[in-house]
Structure formats: C-alpha cells, structure tokens
C-alpha cells in the first residue's frame, strides 16, 4: 500500500491551501520556539555575564539593584558601603581578590567604571591590545567599545540627558580588554582612584599621592557602591557571605539573585508558553475546520479511489499522512522560524545590553514541535474517519 | 484474464426515498446475466436506474433485495476487504467523467489501482505503458493537460484494464465525448468483449446500441431484453 502518490497529488491540487496551513502552523510553532529559545539565551547569557563576580558586598538594600549596577552596568542610585567595612574587606585573609567598584560617570553614554587592575585581569584575562592603566589619567576600554587606544576623553557625571560636567580630568585610552560577553565590553574602565578623586573623595592614598591600587591606607578610604570579592575557597565564599550579611552590609552570590529573577522570568515564560500553546490549539482547530472543508470538496476523488478498489485503510492513510505531513512540515518550519526570530532578538538584546547571548534550539523546543506533530497526528484521524463515512456511490456523482 | 468468469444479478431490487420521504422502486427484482465475450449494452431513459444498476453490479451499493454473483459467489457475502479486492482485480470500471487524477500523468493514472495492493506501482508501469499504447494514447506524455476528452477516456479504460479483469463495466462512457471519440471508445470496449471479457455498457447513446451484441432496456424498474443487434 502506497498512499504517497495520492498525497502528493492532493498537495499539488490544493497547493495554496496547504501552504497557508503550513504557514499558520509554522507561525504558531515559531512563536512558542522563539519565546522559549530567547528566554534560555537570556538566562544563559546573563548567568555567564555574572560568572566572574564571585561575591558582591554592598550597602543594605536591593541586591537586584546592586547586581544590575555592578554586573550589567545599569546605573541607579544605591547606598555606599562604609569606608571602615571596605577597609576590613581589603584586609580579609579569606579573599584572594578584593576590588572596589565605583561608577556614576560616562563618556558619550558609555559607563566609566572604576576598579583595580587586578579585577580587570580577573574579568577579562590578558588585554587584547595595549596595556593596563598605570596612573589615574589612563583607562582601558571594553572589547566592543568604539574608542581606540590613544583616544582622549573627559567624563561627565551621570548618564544621558541628566549628565553634568564634564570633569576637569582628562583620560587617555591605553588598552583594550578581551571580550567578556558582559556589558563591561562597552565600558571605559579606570583606576578606582580616578573616580574617587574627581568626586572629591579620599583615594586610599595620601592627598598628594597619584598612586593607584593596593595597598590602601584604611584611614583614607571613601565609601563605595560595591565591592567584588573573590574568596580563596568555597568554604571561604560561604563564610564571607555570612559574615557580611549584617545591618551595615549585604553580601550575595550573583547566582542567588539571578535565580530569583529567573523565577519571575519563569512565571512570565509559563504565561507566554500557555499563550503559545493556546495559539497552536487555535491554529490546529482552524486547520481541522479547513481540512474538513477540503476533504468535503475532495469527497468525489476519495469515492473514485474506493470504487477502484481502495480499501478503507488506504483512504484513511491518504488523509492521515497528508495532514500529518503538513503538520510535521509546518512544525519543522516553525522550529527554523522560531530559531531565526530568537537569533535576531538575541542579537538585538546583546547590542542593547552588551550581554552576549546565543539562541539555540533545545530539547524543550523540539519537544514542543513533536508534541504538536503528535497532536496533529491524532487530530488527523478526525477528517480521515469522516471521509470513510461518505457514501461512495453518491459521492461519485459529484 | 480468467476465462468464463460470469457476473450475474438475481432478483435485484433497489429503492430510494424522495424528498418527502416516500420510497420509490428503482429496480424491481431484476435478473441479469451478461454473457462473456459479448458486448452488452443497457439503455433506458434518464432516471430509469441505469447508474443504480451499475453501482449494484460493481458492489458500490448494497441491493435492497436480491444479490450480485461473480462466478457463482454472492459478492454481498464477501467481507469488505475481499469485496474491495474483487472490485480492484476482477472488475474494470469506466465512468462518464473519467475520474482521472489531473495531477498525475497518464501512466501514473493507469497504475493508481496498484497503489492499493502489496506490490509497488512501479512494477505495473510497463503494463500501463503497453495498455496506453494499445489504446492509442500518445506515449511520452507526462501530464493529462492538453489531452482531449477522448484520450482521457482511453486513459480511464487503460486504468480499468490494469489487472486484466474478466469483467468491464462502463457507466455512460461516451456521454461527455464527441461522436468520433465516443465511437472510438465504444470500439475499444467491444474489442475487449471480443477477447472473452464480460463487457457491460450502461448508456443512452444510440451508437452504443448499434454496436451491441446484446441489448437491454431498463424502464419502470424492469430490465427487458431488446432484439440482438449482432450474431
């Protein structure tokens, strides 16, 4: 028994309708796949971006705000960590690296972040070109920054239309970091002493000193928005986190906050998934109605096949294979459409946020498409069964 | 082709209900036994029940009473699968409107009945090509487009002959053809009878009657023999 030639003939006869149905299925699947793939890309990209920020210590307040400031460089007002606590952290024996992070300035909309040379290396590894800053008027730039080595700039205080300035101090670009896949790739990274100095704060060094980096004088430290701490071991990490969860500070692993954010994102995703599934159900229902109309139009053809000796199982197979093939092709096209949409969205979001993200089709999306194919296969039995109920002799008269 | 295969109808009755729900008899205890090797034509006015008889003889309609036998076996007693196979292998059906699949080529149309069975339709392509050649359908055509109605009906006849059936039933095979094409198709059907097949043509075409070996007239539910037109 070979239903394929008749299925092909059916498709050729109803080319426009078949393409329309397949397009609808592809759109419905593509929507679900795009949502799912994009959400995963965002989740992975944001998690990867936070990888190098082992433990963040900040003033009490919203951990999410601190995370957005420190990792994703989304400026917002946050309280400062008291200088004495910063001094204590800098002397912390369980930490292999303690890096104060200061921000608030920008150049042409690009954040100027102050930190230490050691943290630049921790974040991005060896520089892609040039060298690390050696004094308060030198900066390095992120991998995708539009600036070049040798460029000079004067930061303004704040971002965008609310910015004030510019500051008197001029900065010169001396190096470019390797790509990190984080918003830091577009940033301008200065010695933290530069940020402190231009805002009239103590710099951790004597007033007439131009030194940068540790060791710092504990009595000359200012408050800082956040401190990135790299613990020397896993037990130390948990120990430090607990030690700095006090009335004066909060300490957290970025992953902790991301998990909470993902839970919210997950709720949104489940709503979107439900909408996508509802869309697919509606599309299948519409297609089923269309198919019943098409099979009604084709009843004479099926009657001819029956008259020529086709068993009921053959007619059933023709209709079932036709519908299932259409749903399968639509679902496969939907996977491709969904992946393409997610890829375009990822590229757009990466450009806007600096978070590197790659859209990919995972088992969830393939499972979604397979589920639709399975439902389509089951639903296909309805028109296939209805065709068999049509009286042959009557249908032959057209 | 199996020799001596006989198709016969015994006390065949059929009735339908009209729009008001009243039952009216189309066929009333019809007995019919067309002889193999003879070109049999059944004629009658429109609505006399010619197509109903065609559908009953081909097992597409169940009779209200009586039965159709093939080689002495009642086809109603066959299971549905066996009846489908019987119609596929032992009957060749030809329709007024050809009922070809326009999206397939002539050879593919002829091999359509082979799609229902266990063997690949490719196995029957040489036979399909030979049949088309024999019936005068120009070879090498890949589609039905551009074929005349007469040529299309010849393709339909070739399809009916794919499994070399002992019985060929045709329902108004010339009704949608011009006179010349119709005469050509009737000549083919008569030649098939000459080869020993049972050929029954249901038609109101006078030229079919003029070529018939045996003719019947259907009217008022009864099938009456007409004078034989050939020895």
């Amino acid at each position: 028994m070979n239903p394929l030639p008749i299925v092909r003939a059916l498709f050729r006869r109803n080319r426009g309708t078949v393409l329309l149905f397949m397009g609808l299925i592809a759109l419905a699947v593509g929507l679900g796949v795009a949502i799912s793939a994009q959400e995963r890309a965002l989740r992975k990209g944001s998690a990867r971006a936070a990888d190098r920020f082992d433990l963040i210590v900040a003033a009490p307040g919203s951990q999410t705000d601190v995370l957005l400031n420190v990792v994703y460089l989304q400026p917002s007002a946050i309280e400062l960590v008291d200088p004495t606590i910063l001094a204590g952290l800098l002397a912390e024996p369980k930490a292999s690296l303690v890096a104060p992070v200061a921000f608030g300035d920008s150049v042409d909309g690009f954040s100027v972040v102050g930190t230490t040379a050691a943290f630049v290396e921790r974040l991005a590894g060896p520089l892609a070109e040039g060298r690390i800053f050696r004094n308060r008027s030198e900066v390095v730039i992120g991998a995708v920054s539009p600036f070049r080595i040798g460029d000079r700039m004067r930061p303004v205080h704040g971002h965008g239309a609310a910015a004030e300035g510019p500051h008197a101090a001029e900065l010169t670009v001396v190096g470019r970091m390797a790509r990190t896949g984080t918003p830091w790739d577009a940033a301008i990274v200065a010695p933290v002493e530069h940020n402190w100095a231009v805002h009239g704060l103590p710099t951790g060094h004597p007033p007439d000193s131009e030194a940068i980096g540790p060791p710092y004088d504990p009595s000359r430290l200012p408050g800082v928005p956040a401190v990135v701490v790299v613990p020397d071991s896993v037990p130390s990490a948990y120990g430090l986190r607990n030690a700095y969860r006090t009335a004066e500070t909060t300490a957290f692993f970025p992953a902790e906050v991301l998990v909470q954010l993902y839970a919210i994102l997950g709720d949104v995703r489940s709503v979107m998934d439900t909408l996508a599934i509802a869309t697919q159900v509606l599309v299948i229902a519409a297609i089923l109605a269309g198919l019943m109309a098409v099979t009604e139009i084709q009843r004479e053809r099926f009657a001819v096949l029956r008259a020529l000796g086709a068993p009921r199982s053959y007619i059933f197979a023709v209709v079932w294979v036709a519908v299932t093939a259409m749903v399968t092709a639509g679902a496969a096209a939907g996977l491709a459409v969904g992946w393409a949409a997610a890829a375009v969205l990822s590229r757009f979001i990466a450009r806007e946020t600096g978070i590197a993200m790659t859209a990919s089709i995972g088992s969830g999306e393939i499972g979604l498409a397979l589920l639709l194919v399975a439902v389509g296969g089951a639903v296909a039995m309805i028109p296939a069964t209805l065709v068999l109920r049509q009286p042959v002799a009557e249908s032959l008269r057209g | 082709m199996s020799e001596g295969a006989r198709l016969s109808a015994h006390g065949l009755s059929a009735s339908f209900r009209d729009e008001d729900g009243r039952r009216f008899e189309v066929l009333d205890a019809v007995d019919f036994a067309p002889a193999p090797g003879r070109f049999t034509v059944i004629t009658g006015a429109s609505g006399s029940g010619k197509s109903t008889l065609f559908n009953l003889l081909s097992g597409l309609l169940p009779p209200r009473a009586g039965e159709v036998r093939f080689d002495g076996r009642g086809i109603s007693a066959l299971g549905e699968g066996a009846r489908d196979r019987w119609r596929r292998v032992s009957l060749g059906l030809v329709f007024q409107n050809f009922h070809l699949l326009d999206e397939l080529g002539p050879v593919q149309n002829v091999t359509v009945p082979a799609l229902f069975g266990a063997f690949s339709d490719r196995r029957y392509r040489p036979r399909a090509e030979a049949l088309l050649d024999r019936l005068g359908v120009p070879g090498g055509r890949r589609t039905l487009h551009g074929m005349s109605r007469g040529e299309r009906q010849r393709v339909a006849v070739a399809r009916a002959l794919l499994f070399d059936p002992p019985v060929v039933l045709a329902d108004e095979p010339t009704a949608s053809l011009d006179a010349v094409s119709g005469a050509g198709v009737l000549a083919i059907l008569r030649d098939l009878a000459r080869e020993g097949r049972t050929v029954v043509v249901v038609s109101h075409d006078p030229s079919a009657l003029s070529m018939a070996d045996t003719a019947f007239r259907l009217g008022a539910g009864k099938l009456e023999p007409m004078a034989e037109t050939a020895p």
Side-chain angles (χ1 to χ4, degrees):
Chain A
M1 185 187 289
N2 178 13
L4 295 182
I6 303 298
V7 171
R8 279 198 295 269
L10 266 177
F11 281 174
R12 278 205 288 272
R13 188 178 189 86
N14 303 283
R15 193 176 288 128
T17 310
V18 168
L19 287 175
L20 177 67
F21 285 169
M22 277 171 44
L24 282 171
I25 294 168
L27 275 179
V29 173
L31 182 67
V33 167
I35 290 169
S36 178
Q38 182 53 48
E39 188 266 347
R40 192 175 53 251
L42 189 61
R43 192 182 289 230
K44 280 187 175 173
S46 56
R48 198 166 41 237
D51 264 357
R52 295 282 167 175
F53 299 81
D54 299 58
L55 176 68
I56 297 174
V57 178
S62 164
Q63 294 179 344
T64 304
D65 281 354
V66 175
L67 183 76
L68 289 173
N69 267 280
V70 175
V71 177
Y72 305 110
L73 301 182
Q74 298 294 311
S76 67
I78 55 176
E79 295 295 317
L80 301 182
V81 175
D82 189 87
T84 56
I85 292 170
L86 174 59
L89 275 166
L90 288 165
E92 183 57 62
K94 292 178 181 172
S96 58
L97 174 67
V98 175
V101 181
F103 21 70
D105 292 346
S106 66
V107 175
D108 297 342
F110 297 95
S111 292
V112 177
V113 187
T115 188
T116 64
F119 183 64
V120 170
E121 188 174 357
R122 163 78 182 163
L123 182 66
L127 294 180
E129 57 177 317
R131 60 172 175 78
I132 193 69
F133 43 73
R134 289 178 186 153
N135 60 57
R136 296 179 189 180
S137 63
E138 292 181 346
V139 294
V140 295
I141 52 177
V144 301
S145 169
F147 299 109
R148 294 176 178 181
I149 292 176
D151 282 355
R152 293 168 182 274
M153 57 189 68
R154 292 175 70 180
V156 294
H157 183 67
H159 290 259
E164 300 166 5
H167 293 299
E170 188 177 69
L171 297 171
T172 303
V173 179
V174 295
R176 183 184 293 275
M177 295 155 60
R179 197 178 181 93
T180 63
T182 74
W184 287 60
D185 284 342
I188 297 156
V189 184
V192 69
E193 290 83 353
H194 158 80
N195 292 58
W196 289 334
V198 295
H199 292 99
L201 299 170
T203 62
H205 303 285
D208 54 348
S209 169
E210 284 295 316
I212 62 169
Y216 295 103
D217 179 349
S219 65
R220 297 180 191 276
L221 284 169
V224 286
V227 184
V228 178
V229 179
V230 180
D232 57 13
S233 67
V234 173
S236 297
Y238 284 93
L240 286 169
R241 187 189 64 160
N242 292 342
Y244 285 91
R245 281 189 169 173
T246 65
E248 289 81 32
T249 55
T250 183
F252 62 92
F253 304 127
E256 293 177 271
V257 179
L258 287 175
V259 165
Q260 291 169 19
L261 288 174
Y262 295 158
I264 297 167
L265 209 58
D267 290 344
V268 174
R269 183 191 159 173
S270 65
V271 171
M272 298 293 274
D273 281 350
T274 305
L275 285 175
I277 288 171
T279 308
Q280 289 173 17
V281 169
L282 284 175
V283 166
I284 284 188
I287 287 169
L288 181 62
L291 281 172
M292 308 233 298
V294 168
T295 48
E296 178 61 25
I297 292 167
Q298 300 291 315
R299 61 186 290 192
E300 183 179 328
R301 172 170 295 216
F302 293 124
V304 170
L305 295 176
R306 289 283 288 136
L308 294 176
R312 283 175 184 269
S313 56
Y314 184 84
I315 304 297
F316 185 93
V318 166
V319 179
W320 188 85
V321 167
V323 176
T324 306
M326 208 164 61
V327 174
T328 305
L335 279 176
V337 167
W339 174 80
V344 170
L345 265 175
S346 292
R347 193 168 294 179
F348 175 76
I349 295 173
R351 198 175 60 219
E352 292 298 306
T353 65
I355 300 171
M357 55 183 76
T358 309
S360 60
I361 300 296
S363 57
E365 291 77 51
I366 292 171
L368 183 75
L370 288 178
L371 176 69
L372 185 74
V373 170
V375 171
V379 166
M381 288 194 262
I382 296 172
T385 306
L386 289 179
V387 165
L388 298 180
R389 297 174 63 175
Q390 293 165 348
V392 176
E394 193 179 306
S395 300
L396 273 177
R397 288 201 291 269
Chain B
M1 185 184 72
S2 59
E3 292 296 329
R6 291 189 69 96
L7 183 73
S8 57
H10 304 269
L12 214 52
S13 295
S15 60
F16 293 105
R17 290 188 185 278
D18 63 14
E19 290 173 351
D20 298 326
R22 287 174 303 202
R23 176 179 283 187
F24 63 94
E25 294 290 323
V26 180
L27 297 177
D28 182 15
V30 167
D31 292 320
F32 176 52
R38 296 184 70 79
F39 184 48
T40 302
V41 174
I42 297 172
T43 190
S46 281
S48 60
K50 298 191 299 294
S51 292
T52 300
L53 181 58
F54 173 89
N55 288 331
L56 289 168
L57 290 173
S58 55
L60 296 174
L61 263 186
R64 186 175 63 76
E67 68 172 349
V68 175
R69 290 182 193 157
F70 180 77
D71 275 350
R73 263 189 92 186
I75 62 166
S76 303
L78 298 175
E80 187 177 72
R83 200 160 55 242
D84 290 337
R85 194 161 47 252
W86 166 74
R87 201 162 49 238
R88 182 165 73 243
V89 175
S90 300
L91 281 191
L93 298 183
V94 180
F95 306 95
Q96 175 182 340
N97 292 324
F98 328 136
H99 287 320
L100 299 174
L101 302 178
D102 287 342
E103 303 77 26
L104 303 180
V107 173
Q108 281 180 299
N109 262 289
V110 174
T111 57
V112 158
L115 297 172
F116 316 146
F119 299 111
S120 164
D121 56 308
R122 290 180 184 278
R123 175 176 167 158
Y124 293 93
R125 288 183 71 91
R127 172 157 174 80
E129 286 164 357
L131 282 168
L132 289 171
D133 187 49
R134 176 189 158 188
L135 298 180
V137 178
R141 283 186 187 262
R142 297 181 64 83
T143 70
L144 298 181
H145 298 297
M147 291 182 87
S148 70
R149 298 180 71 78
E151 286 172 330
R152 285 173 181 246
Q153 190 62 297
R154 287 163 192 254
V155 173
V157 173
R159 180 181 62 190
L161 297 176
L162 182 67
F163 294 121
D164 199 13
V167 177
V168 174
L169 301 179
D171 184 13
E172 300 283 8
T174 59
S176 56
L177 304 181
D178 60 53
V180 174
S181 300
V185 168
L186 288 171
I188 289 168
L189 292 170
R190 189 182 57 187
D191 290 346
L192 294 175
R194 295 281 179 270
E195 292 170 1
R197 290 183 177 83
T198 300
V199 177
V200 178
V201 172
V202 170
S203 175
H204 65 273
D205 184 353
S207 58
L209 270 182
S210 69
M211 295 172 74
D213 296 328
T214 309
F216 292 85
R217 181 178 300 282
L218 191 59
K222 298 291 185 185
L223 189 64
E224 303 291 347
M226 296 171 72
E228 296 199 358
T229 54

